[in-house]
Amino acid sequence: AIAWATTAVVFAAAVRVAFGFEPRGPEWQFTERVDLLPSIGASYAVGVDGLGMLLILLTAFMTFIAVSASWGRDTTRLKAFYVAVLVLEAGMLGVYMALDLLLFGLCWALAATAMCLLIELTSGDVRPEPAGHGRRRTLIRLAGMAAAPALVILLGMVTLHLEGRALTGARTFDLRAFQQLSLPIPQQRWIFIVFFAGFGGTLFGVFRRWLTVAADGRAVAIPVLLAAVFLKMGTFGFLRLSLPLLPDAARAFAPALVALSAIGIVFGAVAAFAQASWTRVLAHASLSHLCLVMLGAFALTPDGLTGSTVHQINHGLAIATLFLIAGLVAGRVRGGALAEHEDADHVRRDDEAEHE
């Protein structure tokens, strides 16, 4: 009840902020700043722009829906589950509001750790304990998947900070200050590669492992949050940092990323046909849509960027709805395999034939 009430209050607050947001007003609205470590330029700086506002609304709404959908479900370690969901929501909202790069990276690490914990909690509901150290190795691997991209992103933040300090002499992690800088092209390329390793690692590296494991869990909230909101942090990172702060590097790497996105679209669609359960079909189909978002972003045209932004919201709402329906159907027929659904359909038809 506490988790449900908390997510309801957060969603109501997000809606209130959205009504107060002025689309034709300043780029950054509802800004706040408190210096934390002036010696290195770190601060608590938050604000909202158009893209962030849309993703904040999506995150607050999807978390509320996910908690509501988990109500009354048989999930072990229930308190830990709901605490991890709330920490995940706080981390994701922090990413979408952060104007301080260090705060951005720390919120990313917080969200990634919470998602890793959620996967561990829910996968344990349906999987037997492996013999020996198998389960321990699995948890270590998942923890590595959560920590590695976050550490790489933090490395990119620190590198960008040092380059900005060398150019201006100012010690700051403020995103708005870096928007006014023009870094040398070689430095842009190295930082772009570091950011790509972090953001791309979330989108392409850990996607299949995380979403496949989460989709097998009993808690339908995990695939909803993972596909609808969490993975949006990767595409948001490209749109928030890589494109505006590193424009020359973005133009240089755009053809390769467009090609990679096109390959991902086809791969996700083909892989979806080979899956044996509804949730796995949706997981791989979701990969195609995320790659479509990347394709639009790195087309580097106004229409492409607009389409990329809109499709993130469309995909979040659509994939969450489909996962909720798949979870409902799987609960009714006591399984998620397509063959089980077909068997249930044959039984229903036989019963109808007998009654006739």
Side-chain angles (χ1 to χ4, degrees), residues 85 113 188 273 298 332 353:
V85 169
T113 303
Q188 284 194 36
F273 283 105
F298 282 97
R332 294 290 296 273

Side-chain angles (χ1 to χ4, degrees), residues 159-230:
T159 304
L160 190 59
H161 167 78
L162 295 176
E163 291 293 337
R165 181 178 175 182
L167 287 175
T168 65
R171 299 179 179 182
T172 182
F173 281 93
D174 197 303
L175 173 66
R176 293 164 293 186
F178 289 108
Q179 288 178 332
Q180 309 302 320
L181 294 181
S182 179
L183 298 178
I185 294 178
Q187 283 80 353
Q188 284 194 36
R189 290 184 177 182
W190 281 112
I191 297 173
F192 188 95
I193 291 172
V194 172
F195 281 158
F196 175 78
F199 301 140
T202 302
L203 287 176
F204 301 108
V206 305
F207 177 85
R208 187 175 185 278
R209 172 65 182 171
W210 275 21
L211 194 50
T212 299
V213 173
D216 286 340
R218 188 179 303 170
V220 69
I222 307 309
V224 168
L225 290 174
L226 184 58
V229 188
F230 179 77

Side-chain angles (χ1 to χ4, degrees), residues 274-316:
Q275 304 308 308
S277 71
W278 285 113
T279 48
R280 289 173 182 263
V281 169
L282 295 176
H284 289 84
S286 184
L287 175 61
S288 288
H289 287 272
L290 287 171
C291 289
L292 184 60
V293 171
M294 293 295 297
L295 184 65
F298 282 97
L300 302 181
T301 64
D303 289 341
L305 291 172
T306 301
S308 176
T309 301
V310 172
H311 192 62
Q312 287 190 72
I313 307 304
N314 293 343
H315 172 262

Side-chain angles (χ1 to χ4, degrees), residues 302-347:
D303 289 341
L305 291 172
T306 301
S308 176
T309 301
V310 172
H311 192 62
Q312 287 190 72
I313 307 304
N314 293 343
H315 172 262
L317 295 173
I319 199 66
T321 303
L322 291 172
F323 268 119
L324 289 171
I325 293 173
L328 177 63
V329 173
R332 294 290 296 273
V333 301
R334 298 183 181 276
L338 296 176
E340 293 174 346
H341 295 175
E342 293 174 356
D343 292 341
D345 187 57
H346 288 316
V347 170

Side-chain angles (χ1 to χ4, degrees), residues 2 4 8 24 71 85 126 136 209 211 220 270 278 293 352:
I2 295 176
W4 183 87
R24 299 182 182 276
W71 192 285
V85 169
V126 295
R136 189 174 293 109
R209 172 65 182 171
L211 194 50
V220 69
V270 173
W278 285 113
V293 171
E352 291 178 352

